[in-house]
Amino acid sequence: MTVLPLFVFWSLWFLNFSTRTIFSPILPLIEDGLSISHGQAGGLFTSLAIGFSITLFLTGRFAFSLGYKRMVGIGIFCITLVLICYHWAESYRALHLLFFLLGLSSGTYLPTIFPIITQTYDPQHWAKAIGIHETAPCLSIFFIPILVPFALRYLHWKSVLLILGVLTLLFLIPFWKVSVEPKHEKTYERSPYLDIFRNRVVWIIGILWVFSAASSLGTYSILPLYLIKERGMEFGFANRLLGISRVAGAVVPLTIGFLKDRYGFKVIIRWS
């Protein structure tokens, strides 16, 4: 199992996910800068989620015709462009638009990278490769709240977003060199969404995923705002507490990847 491609995929996923998790630590600053309510501040994540969901829904169809690698590249380029535009965002409406566009841009990665991973590695390594790959968002959730207060000692939060966007764009270079384009094995005479929506398992997994994401990332997104504004915690301490609280999640995806090879998918899902 070649490590270099997986390291590049992992790094790109870490940076991609960080473009969303970074807004949780800085949400109190955005609220103060715009003089908006807690509800309005949290509403920004709604725009992000709507854009992200739309792209998740449509990316697979476009990737089939445009190419999976090209879709990853388009998404990363758009992420950088959106993060640069935050520098000139001065109104609440402008932030809503940028959050929506960021969701649209970042949603292209996940549906396209899995076919690339499975094309890169043999089937017996899929669970381990995907498990390692999925530690990236967990580590992003852990490190970003700890790193952001340190970076804000020297930079404005808009400058931090700019640096993150540039780093993400730079990782496209090694990605393009080490990744392979998945083969197109068949074409669809009708929309594949019809078959997907008729599958009961898809609905069950989807509902489980909604509750799982809401209980983890949903709570994560708004927690610093609550700790700082309602509980009176110091900015840096609240974010460090948030990051430390997520440390266990950094090892779970990797562990699950190895356990799946031993016990199978259904057993692991039931225990989860």
Side-chain angles (χ1 to χ4, degrees):
M1 195 171 140
T2 308
V3 176
L4 180 59
L6 187 58
F7 170 75
V8 174
F9 302 155
W10 184 95
S11 301
L12 204 56
W13 184 213
F14 178 88
L15 292 168
N16 181 301
F17 202 84
S18 296
T19 62
R20 287 174 284 147
T21 56
I22 196 172
F23 286 100
S24 178
I26 66 176
L27 192 61
L29 303 179
I30 295 176
E31 182 179 288
D32 290 341
L34 296 177
S35 299
I36 57 179
S37 66
H38 296 340
Q40 289 175 312
L44 294 171
F45 288 108
T46 302
S47 295
L48 179 67
I50 291 173
F52 189 74
S53 300
I54 291 173
T55 309
L56 284 178
F57 186 74
L58 297 176
T59 294
R61 193 63 173 169
F62 285 103
F64 191 82
S65 56
L66 295 177
Y68 292 91
K69 290 177 61 175
R70 190 174 288 113
M71 285 300 299
V72 171
I74 291 173
I76 296 301
F77 178 81
C78 291
I79 284 175
T80 302
L81 194 61
V82 171
L83 292 179
I84 292 173
C85 289
Y86 274 96
H87 185 75
W88 294 282
E90 301 293 341
S91 69
Y92 182 61
R93 289 185 177 180
L95 280 181
H96 257 298
L97 176 61
L98 289 176
F99 269 77
F100 175 74
L101 293 175
L102 182 62
L104 285 177
S105 304
S106 57
T108 62
Y109 180 81
L110 204 55
T112 51
I113 196 61
F114 283 130
I116 293 175
I117 291 176
T118 55
Q119 185 69 37
T120 304
Y121 295 102
D122 295 330
Q124 65 266 27
H125 297 307
W126 285 354
K128 288 187 284 291
I130 293 174
I132 294 171
H133 180 262
E134 287 308 295
T135 61
C138 300
L139 289 175
S140 172
I141 288 173
F142 170 67
F143 280 114
I144 289 298
I146 297 174
L147 294 176
V148 165
F150 175 78
L152 291 177
R153 296 178 185 177
Y154 310 99
L155 300 168
H156 192 274
W157 65 266
K158 293 182 179 179
S159 299
V160 176
L161 294 182
L162 175 61
I163 293 172
L164 179 60
V166 172
L167 284 175
T168 306
L169 185 63
L170 289 176
F171 258 87
L172 264 185
I173 299 173
F175 168 79
W176 206 262
K177 290 184 177 180
V178 303
S179 60
V180 294
E181 182 66 31
K183 299 175 182 178
H184 293 168
E185 296 183 353
K186 62 178 295 187
T187 57
Y188 292 95
E189 297 179 356
R190 60 174 184 169
S191 174
Y193 295 115
L194 295 176
D195 296 330
I196 293 173
F197 289 146
R198 292 190 182 119
N199 191 328
R200 185 180 65 173
V201 175
V202 171
W203 287 98
I204 294 173
I205 296 297
I207 293 171
L208 289 174
W209 182 237
V210 167
F211 283 106
S212 176
S215 63
S216 57
L217 194 58
T219 305
Y220 171 91
S221 298
I222 207 70
L223 192 56
L225 186 66
Y226 168 74
L227 294 177
I228 294 168
K229 296 294 185 178
E230 298 299 326
R231 305 302 297 178
M233 288 188 181
E234 186 266 330
F235 181 86
F237 177 74
N239 281 297
R240 286 194 298 271
L241 184 65
L242 177 66
I244 293 171
S245 71
R246 303 300 167 126
V247 66
V251 298
V252 170
L254 181 60
T255 306
I256 292 296
F258 287 94
L259 290 177
K260 174 266 159 191
D261 289 341
R262 182 178 180 87
Y263 299 107
F265 285 113
K266 288 187 176 181
V267 172
I268 299 301
I269 290 176
R270 287 195 190 104
W271 279 104
S272 298

